Amino acid sequence: MIRSVMVMNTQGKPRLAKFYDFQTVEKQQELIRSVFGVLCSRAENVSNFLDATSIFGPDSSLVYKHYATLYFVLVFDSSENELAMLDLIQVFVETLDKCFKNVCELDIVFNYSKIHTILDEMIFGGQVLETSSTELVKAVEEISRLESASNSITLVPKSVSGWWNR
Amino acid sequence: MASTTSSIMDTLFQRTLEDLIKGLRLQLIGESAFISKALDEIRREIKSTDPHTKSNALQKLSYLSSLHHFDMSWAAFHVVEVMSSSRFSHKKIGYHAASLSFSDSTPVLLLITNQLRKDLTCPNNEFEVSLALECLSRIATTDLCRDLTPEIFTLLSSTKIFVRKKAIALVLRVFEKYPDAVKVCFKRLVENLDSTDPHIVSAVVGVFCELTSYDPKSYLPLAPEFYRILVDSKNNWVLIKMLKIFAKLVLLDSRLAKRVVEPVCEHMRRTGAKSLMFECVRTVVSSLSEYEQAVKLAVVKIRELLLDDDPNLKYLGLNALSIVAPKHLWAVLENKEVVIKWLSDEDPNIKRESLRLVMAMVSENNVVEICRVLVNYALKSDPEFCNEILGSILSTCSRNLYEIVNDFDWYVSLLGEMSRILHCQQGDEIENQLIDISMRVRDVRPELVRVGRDLLIDPALLSNHFLYRILSAAAWVSGEYVEFSRNPFELIEALLQPRTNLLPPSIRAIYIQSVFKVLIFCLHSYLLQRESTTSSYPDTSALSELASKREMPEGSNLATFKAPSHSEQDEVFNPRVSNQSSEELFVGNGGDRTMSHGQTSTPVTSENSFTYEAVVNQLNLIELALGPLTGSHDVEILERVRNLLCFIELIKGEILESLVQKEENLNSAETKSSKIIKLMSDAFSEELGPVSVSAQERVPIPEGLVLKENLNDLEMICGDIQLPSSISFSLVSTHYEEGVGASLLDLQIKEELEPPSEATSLLAEHRKRHGLYYLTSEKNDIVANDYPPANDPKLQDNQNNDTEDLVKLTEQLLVSKKRPNQAKPRPVVVKLDGDVVPVSAKRPGPKDDLLSGAVQEVLLGSDTRTSTSRSNLSDKSSSKRKGKEKLITDPSSELNENLGDAEKLDHENPSSRRSKHRTHGKERRHKSPRKIREEREENGQKEKKKSSHHHARHKTRQRAEVPLNVVSETPVIPDFLL
């Protein structure tokens, strides 16, 4: 079971934080901080695993991947395979890339709700339900369409990311 | 009126989430100020009646809560409001906020049941259903699960894959929170295993993987289905989960393992996916490690991983190797070079993992070399890893009372060497071990004193505060076992060197106390030496007295008083000379002695002998060095300094005088000071032994002492504590043992035989009444021989007797040492009963939890418990349950018994079982006199079963259960795989 998904930038600012067990906001902050504290001390080209037991308690592992300015972090227990989790990060990033066309940190900053939609389609209550980025994109687009259809009054255009990506 | 206008204004000029994010990024007024302003806005907006304004505010709040960690529990009610909006976009925001902020204790949870039910049954919008499912997967409580089980049950067979897979995944949480849901949903969950849609299968397998990890036993009956998926599936995700499931299941049933091992190896050989390959390897090494061929194959694959360039694979390879290590050490040894090479890898994970493996390889035979290699790596490593290496050396070598250490001289010098490593921060542990070894291992004391001396004498070490604890141990050892020192004077100087003022007071106090001990030893030796020259007694008596008291081993270098004759010229020496600048003297002497120590190993050197001059020098030196400390603010230091200085004052006068009257007064040895010195020397030469944890219990209750009038109260306290019959080891002196506690055995026996006192008669009466012995001695016979249960059998008999005089013991030790002994025997390591408690961490028995009970009930038809909340279930499910209740025939205890029998039967007659398994399908076996009939019956059913679908199998299983009721002893063989 996956316990948590985090995306944070190289300064330690969280960009996405999802915990599948209830955690208070203070605890969340503490966990993100401690994870970043370990991540930032690691060199490039070393393994993508971290000993997470000191942060998340027994039976927990952590994999992370470093893309440009972002760390993608997955915390999970012994019913997941480490390499499969690394693949899952890859799937997530690929999906983001497809949804935002050359995803960058700003897309993630400005699309809080969409990022969560993508993640929720992929991981449900800590279990991986979808691993194909094509399927994910399809579902997410469907949901976005439904959202905007139900939203007759939109004061601000949805894709701000367009301006920022110029 | 006012509120309406403000709400319109809010709507028109409300900041959206994007505005908020932009504002945060601009940071015109600072982040915290901006956020608190935004939160104020949100608090206002969220109360708005306009759903759009409200949901927008809630979205902003969720954002701030999720990424800026602001509490949003205060908005729980607004969350519920937004959830119930009819618009999808608002609903989505509401559900997101709920899953973000609701916990089991959120009060408004009670309000959302109907909303959830409505959304779950929403007929045309699968995305709304999905929102509700997602939210439930995070927040569902027992109440919610109970109330919504029917809806979830319906969704389990939804035609929409998108919804069905989520409903399946949700079942995990439902089962966990509300085990009674198993009765309703389990069957349908199992049916989904047969689905043709890969998403569904993947979801179900995921759920079962989680379920089996909590309680594998309950899912054993599903093994055939799992097996089919393991063999047929092409999806790596599914296969990985399947392997995880089987890794748990095969531990329960060896026959299952036999069947599974082949497909697992097949996957391992064939697959191109590293993740699947690694999972196969892990399954084999953790659960199928008895299958030699499989393990060999796995080790080959591990080697591939180890040699890969990808650090991830390297790390996992090492990981797998450490799983395999306890059972198949050869696998590690085969890869020894690679493992050791990676101690210097740049990745800390890999370094750490290989260190763990290296430690796993350590045995009696190679501990010396491995420690050598590791210390070399420690010297090269960064401080953190260096300490990890040192820490693991220390913990490995001290495991089970230094089990793997044969050569303690080596180990002690290794400890000394480790202390000198630059980054060493293991002071506490090294301190403990030095003292522990000094008390437990008699033979190593000379080496310990040497190592201690080397540490103490080095002024550079005094500046490293990590070493203080080690130095304190060294000081203590040097003081306690000073008789093994080659040069006690040198020790005094080392202990008093000026840089010791860098030490913390507690450790300085230990230094001073050690000085005291060393000084007493010197003075005592001096007196003995003088006695032997002046008196007509042969010096052998004095010698042997000292030797016996000190338990000096043969090899001890200290026998300086053998050559007393040359002290003539020294005695002429004017003691006042030493009153000159003692600073100079100190330096000069120190230098001399260090040098001489290096050169000579023969004990009889003028430097070493306890000459009058040397003794007086030392007295002066101590007075000079400790004088300033009489004003110390630390009580420990103050007290010890005072003790020492007063003592010196007490004896100094007589020592000086004794020079003058020496020749005329033959009785000079009997002066006051020499008496005092003897007394002190006796006091200090008492052995300090390790104290057993249970030492307190060993103190005998003196006769005639009424501890408790009413022994009923004692029952609770002493019921489980065994009072041993004798003191095996304690801080008590040998004399005391001899005098008071010596004949404890007798004492106890006496107590049993003739109970003279009130207490014992009371006790006897009490025992008679209850037939209980609280102060038992029966079991303690084992305890009695625990003084040193040495590995050396030669010594064992001698030392078994606790009350034996230590002097005698030493003699025997010496005698036994003289025997031609093979190579180098392992020295005696004193053990106490309190020490070795290798009780395998007893896990509390698998708690009989509701979920597994429910699952077993469904799968095996055993009624393990009466449902607690049946009445709460809706009508729909209760009708189903009724059908099932009829089938529940077999109480669980009976079932377990049967399982046990089945195991036995199996072993007796494996071949026949096998052949039968081949003929029958997935049916459970019933071995009984009637089995043939039953089997025929089953065969009949098989035809039907094959044609029909899953339900049929359940039916047959249920039908097969019925005869069990009639013949309850009938053993059931739960081989589910065939």
Side-chain angles (χ1 to χ4, degrees):
Chain A
M1 184 143 141
I2 294 168
R3 295 219 199 143
S4 167
V5 181
M6 297 176 211
V7 179
M8 60 185 89
N9 72 2
T10 39
Q11 265 84 54
K13 272 200 185 238
R15 294 303 184 201
L16 167 76
K18 182 103 188 170
F19 294 87
Y20 292 97
D21 317 307
F22 178 77
Q23 309 280 1
T24 61
V25 280
E26 295 82 19
K27 181 77 181 160
Q28 290 184 16
Q29 186 169 21
E30 186 198 317
L31 291 173
I32 293 173
R33 275 204 191 135
S34 4
V35 168
F36 178 71
V38 191
L39 281 185
C40 64
S41 66
R42 287 180 65 83
E44 287 289 324
N45 304 324
V46 294
S47 62
N48 296 106
F49 305 107
L50 266 193
D51 181 20
T53 46
S54 56
I55 304 173
F56 292 90
D59 189 17
S60 57
S61 318
L62 186 154
V63 298
Y64 71 97
K65 257 189 174 176
H66 188 182
Y67 290 97
T69 56
L70 291 174
Y71 288 118
F72 287 77
V73 180
L74 273 183
V75 184
F76 51 92
D77 65 13
S78 60
S79 15
E80 304 292 340
N81 179 292
E82 292 84 348
L83 294 170
M85 287 298 110
L86 275 175
D87 282 352
L88 195 67
I89 295 183
Q90 183 65 36
V91 170
F92 187 42
V93 175
E94 262 173 39
T95 315
L96 291 176
D97 207 45
K98 281 182 188 163
C99 286
F100 296 111
K101 314 274 180 308
N102 281 326
V103 68
C104 71
E105 189 182 343
L106 283 175
D107 293 319
I108 295 175
V109 170
F110 281 100
N111 291 283
Y112 172 78
S113 137
K114 195 166 185 183
I115 305 289
H116 271 280
T117 312
I118 298 170
L119 185 62
D120 287 346
E121 285 310 310
M122 194 167 80
I123 303 171
F124 176 97
Q127 296 172 73
V128 183
L129 282 193
E130 184 57 75
T131 52
S132 140
S133 59
T134 335
E135 293 287 322
L136 283 170
V137 172
K138 230 194 281 173
V140 170
E141 273 170 3
E142 195 86 18
I143 291 171
S144 302
R145 198 160 47 236
L146 198 64
E147 239 179 316
S148 45
S150 75
N151 227 348
S152 48
I153 324 157
T154 4
L155 296 176
V156 175
K158 268 289 156 190
S159 57
V160 189
S161 60
W163 317 338
W164 286 85
N165 274 344
R166 275 179 299 191
Chain B
M1 175 68 188
S3 74
T4 337
T5 35
S6 81
S7 135
I8 290 167
M9 292 303 280
D10 278 349
T11 315
L12 286 178
F13 298 104
Q14 188 188 21
R15 275 188 236 249
T16 61
L17 178 59
E18 277 84 354
D19 299 332
L20 178 78
I21 297 169
K22 266 185 244 167
L24 269 172
R25 291 178 64 78
L26 281 174
Q27 297 233 342
L28 289 176
I29 54 168
E31 189 176 285
S32 58
F34 183 84
I35 290 178
S36 63
K37 205 165 143 249
L39 279 173
D40 285 344
E41 273 173 20
I42 289 168
R43 276 174 204 277
R44 194 154 31 83
E45 290 162 6
I46 211 164
K47 293 190 191 108
S48 155
T49 46
D50 174 47
H52 185 76
T53 314
K54 202 188 221 18
S55 64
N56 216 341
L58 187 63
Q59 192 178 25
K60 289 192 284 182
L61 185 60
S62 309
Y63 176 84
L64 289 178
S65 166
S66 170
L67 296 180
H68 293 269
H69 315 295
F70 285 92
D71 180 48
M72 62 176 286
S73 54
W74 55 271
F77 186 73
H78 302 294
V79 172
V80 176
E81 286 179 316
V82 177
M83 272 166 82
S84 58
S85 163
S86 55
R87 278 191 202 179
F88 180 74
S89 60
H90 296 169
K91 205 185 268 296
K92 185 161 177 284
I93 291 170
Y95 272 116
H96 174 71
S99 60
L100 200 64
S101 62
F102 282 12
S103 71
D104 284 359
S105 55
T106 305
V108 294
L109 275 176
L110 299 169
L111 304 175
I112 61 173
T113 315
N114 276 323
Q115 181 61 42
L116 283 166
R117 183 173 292 141
K118 204 174 124 226
D119 288 336
L120 283 176
T121 47
C122 175
N124 19 4
N125 191 339
E126 63 192 76
F127 294 103
E128 251 169 51
V129 181
S130 145
L131 280 183
L133 288 171
E134 251 160 43
C135 184
L136 271 175
S137 77
R138 260 289 285 103
I139 66 164
T141 57
T142 306
D143 287 343
L144 281 174
C145 289
R146 187 191 55 226
D147 296 340
L148 296 173
T149 298
E151 282 75 26
I152 295 164
F153 173 76
T154 317
L155 289 174
L156 280 180
S157 51
S158 162
T159 48
K160 288 168 182 145
I161 300 298
F162 185 76
V163 170
R164 206 207 304 183
K165 68 179 181 188
K166 291 184 175 175
I168 290 168
L170 178 60
V171 163
L172 179 64
R173 181 155 178 127
V174 175
F175 282 4
E176 182 193 319
K177 292 282 174 187
Y178 177 62
D180 277 357
V182 170
K183 299 195 189 83
V184 185
C185 300
F186 197 78
K187 227 163 123 187
R188 199 162 274 190
L189 186 67
V190 173
E191 282 160 25
N192 275 308
L193 275 176
D194 288 342
S195 167
T196 47
D197 188 281
H199 287 104
I200 300 297
V201 176
S202 168
V204 187
V205 169
V207 170
F208 275 115
C209 179
E210 296 292 335
L211 289 172
T212 30
S213 73
Y214 299 130
D215 167 41
K217 209 169 106 244
S218 305
Y219 304 94
L220 210 49
L222 289 171
E225 273 93 328
F226 293 154
Y227 183 80
R228 183 176 51 73
I229 296 174
L230 179 70
V231 175
D232 296 344
S233 178
K234 298 279 176 287
N235 182 334
N236 286 343
W237 285 87
V238 171
L239 285 174
I240 286 172
K241 291 281 178 185
M242 229 56 256
L243 287 165
K244 296 256 185 209
I245 293 175
F246 275 111
K248 290 276 188 317
L249 293 186
V250 295
L251 295 175
L252 302 172
D253 190 339
S254 55
R255 290 164 298 174
L256 193 57
K258 206 184 272 171
R259 289 297 302 264
V260 166
V261 69
E262 203 27 61
V264 171
C265 289
E266 194 56 30
H267 281 305
M268 202 185 330
R269 268 183 228 113
R270 285 233 189 117
T271 182
K274 287 275 191 274
S275 52
L276 180 58
M277 188 266 263
F278 175 64
E279 200 57 52
C280 292
V281 168
R282 184 154 55 190
T283 308
V284 168
V285 296
S286 60
S287 304
L288 298 166
S289 53
E290 305 89 72
Y291 294 87
E292 206 65 38
Q293 287 305 314
V295 173
K296 274 190 185 136
L297 180 63
V299 171
V300 170
K301 293 287 177 185
I302 289 175
R303 195 166 172 82
E304 274 174 33
L305 292 173
L306 287 177
L307 297 173
D308 203 286
D309 284 336
D310 184 348
N312 290 332
L313 298 183
K314 248 195 255 183
Y315 172 72
L316 292 177
L318 290 169
N319 232 327
L321 213 49
S322 60
I323 301 173
V324 90
K327 281 187 182 161
H328 300 274
L329 197 61
W330 57 267
V332 189
L333 294 172
E334 229 169 57
N335 295 297
K336 196 172 162 185
E337 298 77 35
V338 196
V339 171
I340 288 182
K341 196 177 92 191
W342 283 331
L343 278 176
S344 50
D345 197 274
E346 56 179 334
D347 190 337
N349 290 337
I350 292 179
K351 281 200 284 195
R352 213 166 289 145
E353 203 65 31
S354 50
L355 174 61
R356 207 172 300 157
L357 279 171
V358 170
M359 291 334 285
M361 284 189 274
V362 172
S363 71
E364 275 175 50
N365 308 319
N366 59 14
V367 61
V368 178
E369 301 113 68
I370 287 186
C371 287
R372 173 82 13 242
V373 172
L374 284 178
V375 167
N376 283 335
Y377 273 102
L379 285 168
K380 282 187 273 174
S381 304
D382 56 301
E384 196 194 342
F385 190 59
C386 167
N387 277 299
E388 251 168 74
I389 294 182
L390 298 182
S392 52
I393 294 178
L394 288 170
S395 63
T396 309
C397 288
S398 63
R399 198 172 46 209
N400 269 343
L401 294 180
Y402 314 96
E403 193 178 44
I404 55 166
V405 179
N406 267 329
D407 182 353
F408 275 91
D409 285 355
W410 160 79
Y411 186 57
V412 167
S413 52
L414 177 74
L415 287 178
E417 198 181 323
M418 277 161 54
S419 319
R420 287 165 183 275
I421 291 174
L422 186 61
H423 303 301
C424 174
Q425 294 171 11
Q426 306 287 332
D428 292 9
E429 184 57 29
I430 296 182
E431 178 203 25
N432 287 340
Q433 293 198 9
L434 282 175
I435 291 179
D436 195 40
I437 292 174
S438 76
M439 289 196 286
R440 288 180 192 279
V441 191
R442 202 176 290 275
D443 298 359
V444 81
R445 286 173 190 166
E447 177 66 12
L448 252 174
V449 171
R450 194 193 62 73
V451 168
R453 171 224 169 250
D454 289 352
L455 289 172
L456 290 175
I457 217 158
D458 188 349
L461 298 183
L462 282 165
S463 54
N464 182 352
H465 69 96
F466 289 119
L467 295 183
Y468 287 167
R469 306 292 303 272
I470 304 173
L471 289 175
S472 95
W476 183 83
V477 166
S478 312
E480 186 63 27
Y481 306 109
V482 59
E483 66 267 20
F484 300 111
S485 169
R486 288 175 181 177
N487 190 342
F489 294 142
E490 179 190 64
L491 268 180
I492 293 186
E493 281 150 22
L495 289 169
L496 290 175
Q497 59 182 297
R499 279 173 72 92
T500 51
N501 60 15
L502 295 168
L503 293 170
S506 58
I507 291 170
R508 196 129 197 236
I510 294 172
Y511 266 60
I512 295 165
Q513 186 70 7
S514 296
V515 170
F516 200 177
K517 288 180 187 167
V518 177
L519 178 69
I520 293 288
F521 173 76
C522 292
L523 290 170
H524 188 64
S525 310
Y526 166 68
L527 285 181
L528 285 177
Q529 178 183 319
R530 214 178 54 182
E531 246 174 73
S532 58
T533 45
T534 50
S535 68
S536 51
Y537 302 123
D539 54 353
T540 42
S541 72
L543 241 178
S544 64
E545 188 200 331
L546 186 78
S548 59
K549 208 171 283 162
R550 292 287 185 172
E551 300 131 34
M552 206 162 24
E554 262 202 328
S556 167
N557 290 322
L558 185 101
T560 46
F561 30 83
K562 269 179 187 164
S565 52
H566 72 289
S567 53
E568 208 64 6
Q569 61 268 52
D570 292 319
E571 273 155 17
V572 193
F573 192 80
N574 186 349
R576 259 150 229 129
V577 175
S578 58
N579 284 348
Q580 54 170 259
S581 151
S582 342
E583 196 74 37
E584 267 171 47
L585 197 88
F586 170 75
V587 174
N589 284 352
D592 271 0
R593 294 207 169 101
T594 334
M595 276 181 61
S596 72
H597 176 83
Q599 290 156 0
T600 142
S601 58
T602 48
V604 196
T605 59
S606 60
E607 231 86 31
N608 242 354
S609 67
F610 300 97
T611 62
Y612 178 73
E613 166 226 20
V615 167
V616 173
N617 274 350
Q618 292 307 318
L619 290 179
N620 288 332
L621 171 66
I622 293 169
E623 276 185 324
L624 190 80
L626 295 184
L629 285 177
T630 49
S632 168
H633 292 298
D634 188 273
V635 281
E636 290 288 319
I637 294 186
L638 192 63
E639 188 171 329
R640 285 176 169 78
V641 166
R642 291 275 163 128
N643 282 346
L644 185 46
L645 290 181
C646 291
F647 174 77
I648 288 177
E649 201 155 298
L650 201 64
I651 56 152
K652 199 174 178 187
E654 282 192 46
I655 294 259
L656 294 183
E657 272 171 41
S658 70
L659 169 71
V660 189
Q661 7 164 302
K662 188 200 78 182
E663 283 308 327
E664 50 249 54
N665 191 359
L666 267 179
N667 296 333
S668 66
E670 295 307 310
T671 54
K672 198 175 84 185
S673 66
S674 64
K675 269 187 209 154
I676 295 172
I677 291 168
K678 266 218 182 92
L679 213 67
M680 292 301 292
S681 169
D682 283 349
F684 281 142
S685 60
E686 292 307 347
E687 179 114 347
L688 290 177
V691 182
S692 158
V693 188
S694 53
Q696 180 74 51
E697 294 162 27
R698 293 153 196 265
V699 178
I701 298 162
E703 280 179 62
L705 175 69
V706 185
L707 283 178
K708 223 153 206 262
E709 288 284 313
N710 185 358
L711 286 172
N712 274 326
D713 296 353
L714 256 173
E715 189 170 353
M716 293 183 290
I717 306 159
C718 294
D720 47 357
I721 303 172
Q722 302 156 2
L723 277 183
S725 58
S726 61
I727 294 177
S728 79
F729 215 85
S730 71
L731 267 178
V732 207
S733 73
T734 46
H735 302 300
Y736 173 77
E737 274 179 37
E738 244 174 316
V740 187
S743 50
L744 264 173
L745 278 167
D746 307 1
L747 216 140
Q748 291 258 330
I749 293 160
K750 254 187 253 162
E751 197 184 294
E752 298 284 319
L753 293 177
E754 27 165 329
S757 69
E758 200 191 355
T760 40
S761 64
L762 263 172
L763 182 63
E765 197 188 319
H766 183 79
R767 281 174 182 170
K768 216 184 285 171
R769 216 177 334 140
H770 296 272
L772 281 170
Y773 289 81
Y774 299 123
L775 307 169
T776 51
S777 52
E778 298 107 6
K779 282 184 183 172
N780 299 318
D781 298 356
I782 317 152
V783 182
N785 69 356
D786 76 345
Y787 166 47
N791 295 11
D792 196 340
K794 283 179 282 181
L795 296 175
Q796 211 144 35
D797 323 308
N798 297 339
Q799 295 180 348
N800 277 349
N801 191 351
D802 297 327
T803 55
E804 201 170 12
D805 193 356
L806 270 176
V807 178
K808 232 194 270 171
L809 201 136
T810 320
E811 278 165 16
Q812 277 154 358
L813 231 156
L814 290 170
V815 170
S816 71
K817 270 218 138 183
K818 267 174 204 156
R819 286 182 206 165
N821 37 15
Q822 59 279 44
K824 190 169 186 185
R826 186 169 187 265
V828 179
V829 181
V830 177
K831 288 177 190 164
L832 301 168
D833 61 340
D835 284 332
V836 205
V837 203
V839 183
S840 55
K842 218 180 186 179
R843 275 180 52 196
K847 58 171 188 215
D848 188 8
D849 69 272
L850 289 162
L851 179 55
S852 61
V855 172
Q856 276 170 1
E857 187 176 324
V858 172
L859 277 172
L860 302 173
S862 65
D863 194 7
T864 47
R865 63 189 62 253
T866 47
S867 139
T868 48
S869 45
R870 281 182 180 181
S871 51
N872 294 334
L873 270 174
S874 69
D875 296 347
K876 213 201 285 178
S877 55
S878 74
S879 68
K880 262 176 204 108
R881 224 183 331 101
K882 262 175 215 156
K884 206 166 292 161
E885 265 166 349
K886 263 185 264 164
L887 310 164
I888 296 164
T889 53
D890 186 19
S892 64
S893 60
E894 219 169 51
L895 186 83
N896 285 343
E897 218 176 273
N898 292 341
L899 289 179
D901 289 353
E903 284 302 319
K904 259 182 264 158
L905 255 167
D906 254 358
H907 290 296
E908 284 161 19
N909 180 358
S911 59
S912 70
R913 177 179 54 75
R914 268 250 207 111
S915 61
K916 256 170 243 142
H917 285 175
R918 248 171 241 138
T919 45
H920 306 301
K922 295 168 181 176
E923 293 300 334
R924 299 163 66 213
R925 292 287 94 77
H926 307 272
K927 285 215 171 185
S928 72
R930 303 172 168 202
K931 68 185 170 203
I932 299 167
R933 190 183 58 75
E934 279 165 26
E935 272 159 15
R936 213 174 291 138
E937 218 176 84
E938 282 167 23
N939 279 340
Q941 288 161 6
K942 229 171 110 186
E943 291 302 309
K944 273 184 263 166
K945 197 186 73 191
K946 265 186 184 166
S947 57
S948 68
H949 206 51
H950 243 74
H951 285 288
R953 197 174 59 237
H954 282 275
K955 264 181 233 148
T956 50
R957 190 176 289 157
Q958 288 147 7
R959 216 171 298 163
E961 214 90 273
V962 179
L964 269 177
N965 216 16
V966 189
V967 194
S968 58
E969 318 85 282
T970 315
V972 182
I973 298 178
D975 189 343
F976 303 107
L977 238 201
L978 294 149

